[in-house]
Amino acid sequence: MGVLGNSREVSPKRLLLVPLFLSFLLTFSLAEVIFEERFEDGWQGRWVKSDWKKSEGKAGSFKHTAGNWAGDPDDKVSIQTAIDARHSAISAKIPEFSNKNRTLVLQYSIKIEQDIECGGSYIKLLSGFVNQKKFGGDTPYSVMFGPDICGTQTKKLHVIVSYQGQNYPIKKDLQCETDKLTHFYTFILRPDATYSILIDNRERESGSMYTDWDILPPRKIKATKAKKPADWEEREYIEDPDDVKPEGYDSIPAEIPDPKAKEPDNWDEEEDGIWKPPKIPNPAYKGPWRRKKIKNPNYKGKWKTPWIDNPEFVDDPDLYVLKPIKYVGIEVWQVKSGAVFDNILICDDPEYAKQVVEEVFVHREAEKEAFEEAEKVRKAREEEEAQRAREEGERRRRERGHDRHHRHRERYRDRYRRHHRDYMDDYHDEL
């Protein structure tokens, strides 16, 4: 920007940057942002809080806050789940769009500040008409994307797409982040049915809807009836047919008399027989003769069952096409609330989405420092509470000990009085 607005003499090096900058502007001018939400002023006019589960007393809510450790001091707005063990649902109507013949990018940030224990933090794209006041877990959706954490075992990243009215989860086991900092989740779906999944601008997974979802039968299947051909050569090496055994090879003994052995001085042939030197391995003996090995000229490798076209596969060139998207929604249940949703983006340009992440992560280190400071405060508070609890427990133990001592002393006095009174009664009787 400063290059274009500067009236001073511009160096040739800077002039070379101008076409690149114009190209950059052109790229983003062609990109379409369908919906982008930073939860700034006016957000409540775009979003509708659902009454789902309200009649059962299980409806949650969201509060307008950036959470406890925001990295950007100027960014003080996001929405955060606010009530433990409740169903929180909220949605926004967006300009209707179709991803036919275009790339779909769904991206948002989530900061799970709480020890969630168990619950989801995902986002949904909805098609068709949605009664937003009744939007809930049973509302049909076209895409569900985001983390789901439960205990120490489940740390799943959901990617569920709808096809002809049925939901299909991705077959791959994808893991989400579990720390308490902000993380960006990005799902990119392209017109060739390939996809990418990014976390914090780093690709974590990629592939094709044809192979990574059980939506269509596979293109290829194994020919289970196929048999290995009789002349199939799996031997990589074979004996050299031209190799000839050396003359006299078989006459070489495996053992020979030890040439260093000597007859003992006390050997008696009449009693011990004729002395013979012990046998030792013959260094000239090479074992049974075998032809040397050579590369098998007919080697074809290990035979494998071949793949053939699947007769049940019927291609759908619109496999990647979702029903026209009309809404974006958050519908989650969390044992412990406190997940902060922000930076929701629906567009057709992965580069613009990448730029959004970079823009927010300018303050990444500041967020880490704010979190570390909050952790210090939390630990200090917990230690203070633990100290007060220990002191209260000690006070109660002392009181119980004092009471026991007091009751013991009173019982002793009662016994003494009764004994003294009985003794004096006997004394008076004797008088």
Side-chain angles (χ1 to χ4, degrees):
M1 299 293 286
V3 174
L4 297 178
N6 196 330
S7 60
R8 292 177 297 176
E9 183 177 352
V10 181
S11 68
K13 184 176 181 180
R14 288 192 173 184
L15 285 172
L16 290 173
L17 293 175
V18 173
L20 294 175
F21 181 74
L22 292 175
S23 174
F24 176 82
L25 289 178
L26 179 62
T27 299
F28 284 109
S29 67
L30 295 176
E32 182 180 357
V33 176
I34 311 299
F35 182 78
E36 187 168 14
E37 182 62 82
R38 304 289 181 95
F39 295 101
E40 296 170 339
D41 293 343
W43 76 275
Q44 290 175 313
R46 296 183 292 273
W47 290 81
V48 177
K49 182 180 177 300
S50 175
D51 291 333
W52 188 56
K53 296 289 184 179
K54 186 175 182 179
S55 62
E56 303 173 31
K58 298 179 180 179
S61 64
F62 294 86
K63 57 183 178 180
H64 194 217
T65 174
N68 294 322
W69 43 83
D72 184 356
D74 297 325
D75 181 14
K76 299 179 180 178
V77 287
S78 304
I79 60 171
Q80 183 180 39
T81 54
I83 305 177
D84 294 348
R86 292 290 187 272
H87 296 268
S88 302
I90 194 169
S91 63
K93 188 174 176 61
I94 65 177
E96 181 177 336
F97 79 97
S98 170
N99 69 318
K100 186 176 177 65
N101 297 324
R102 69 196 297 192
T103 297
L104 167 67
V105 180
L106 171 60
Q107 177 174 281
Y108 74 109
S109 69
I110 185 73
K111 177 173 56 168
I112 304 175
E113 292 189 343
Q114 75 280 32
D115 294 321
I116 192 170
E117 293 186 10
C118 194
S121 300
Y122 31 77
I123 196 169
K124 296 180 177 180
L125 296 182
L126 314 169
S127 304
F129 171 76
V130 174
N131 183 341
Q132 292 179 264
K133 294 297 289 183
K134 295 183 179 180
F135 166 56
D138 53 358
T139 304
Y141 58 83
S142 292
V143 175
M144 185 177 113
F145 175 56
D148 190 4
I149 299 172
C150 197
T152 58
Q153 300 300 316
T154 302
K155 302 173 184 177
K156 189 175 184 64
L157 177 59
H158 286 294
V159 190
I160 304 175
V161 296
S162 177
Y163 179 79
Q164 296 183 355
Q166 184 173 343
N167 295 335
Y168 293 89
I170 194 170
K171 294 190 293 184
K172 293 180 178 179
D173 183 18
L174 307 180
Q175 300 291 301
C176 65
E177 299 296 319
T178 57
D179 61 39
K180 297 183 179 182
L181 298 175
T182 297
H183 292 286
F184 274 85
Y185 290 87
T186 310
F187 176 51
I188 303 171
L189 181 59
R190 305 179 186 89
D192 62 356
T194 61
Y195 72 93
S196 293
I197 295 168
L198 288 72
I199 300 179
D200 299 337
N201 266 350
R202 294 183 179 180
E203 187 174 81
R204 293 292 184 88
E205 195 56 72
S206 63
S208 171
M209 289 185 67
Y210 284 98
T211 56
D212 294 344
W213 280 265
D214 284 327
I215 299 175
L216 299 180
R219 289 179 183 270
K220 299 283 187 178
I221 57 174
K222 285 189 175 183
T224 55
K225 294 182 180 180
K227 295 182 179 179
K228 183 173 69 173
D231 60 349
W232 188 274
E233 273 291 352
E234 289 187 338
R235 297 174 301 166
E236 187 174 359
Y237 293 89
I238 58 173
E239 292 182 347
D240 183 359
D242 297 329
D243 193 16
V244 178
K245 181 166 57 175
E247 186 177 351
Y249 187 93
D250 290 339
S251 63
I252 300 174
E255 293 180 327
I256 58 173
D258 184 356
K260 296 181 180 180
K262 295 181 179 180
E263 180 180 322
D265 294 336
N266 59 352
W267 188 271
D268 188 338
E269 287 191 358
E270 291 184 0
E271 293 184 4
D272 301 326
I274 299 174
W275 179 83
K276 295 180 180 180
K279 298 279 188 178
I280 61 171
N282 184 0
Y285 179 70
K286 305 299 182 184
W289 183 81
R290 293 185 179 89
R291 288 186 173 90
K292 65 182 179 181
K293 297 282 188 177
I294 60 171
K295 277 276 189 179
N296 185 355
N298 299 317
Y299 174 67
K300 295 182 179 180
K302 185 174 177 59
W303 187 81
K304 297 179 181 178
T305 305
W307 293 86
I308 59 174
D309 291 336
N310 184 359
E312 297 182 1
F313 174 77
V314 179
D315 193 13
D316 181 0
D318 289 339
L319 175 64
Y320 72 97
V321 179
L322 306 170
K323 290 182 178 180
I325 304 299
K326 296 183 179 181
Y327 305 85
V328 59
I330 300 168
E331 177 277 309
V332 296
W333 178 86
Q334 298 173 341
V335 172
K336 294 291 181 63
S337 62
V340 180
F341 292 81
D342 202 357
N343 303 298
I344 298 173
L345 173 66
I346 304 168
C347 69
D348 60 5
D349 184 19
E351 285 302 314
Y352 178 71
K354 180 180 179 180
Q355 182 190 32
V356 170
V357 178
E358 291 172 348
E359 173 192 326
V360 174
F361 275 4
V362 166
H363 305 281
R364 185 64 163 172
E365 290 304 316
E367 182 188 20
K368 291 180 180 179
E369 291 173 3
F371 169 68
E372 291 170 0
E373 187 60 32
E375 280 292 281
K376 290 179 184 177
V377 173
R378 180 186 64 82
K379 290 177 181 179
R381 184 175 63 251
E382 289 179 353
E383 179 57 32
E384 184 179 339
E385 291 172 355
Q387 181 61 30
R388 283 200 300 268
R390 288 192 293 268
E391 291 173 355
E392 178 65 16
E394 183 60 29
R395 184 185 65 80
R396 291 182 179 181
R397 283 192 294 273
R398 287 197 302 268
E399 288 180 352
R400 288 195 297 269
H402 174 75
D403 290 344
R404 283 196 298 269
H405 178 70
H406 178 72
R407 289 194 298 270
H408 176 73
R409 187 171 58 185
E410 288 301 314
R411 284 197 296 271
Y412 176 79
R413 286 178 177 176
D414 289 344
R415 285 199 300 271
Y416 174 77
R417 291 191 187 103
R418 286 196 300 272
H419 175 73
H420 183 69
R421 186 169 55 249
D422 294 342
Y423 172 79
M424 293 304 294
D425 288 344
D426 292 342
Y427 172 74
H428 288 297
D429 289 342
E430 290 181 2
L431 290 177

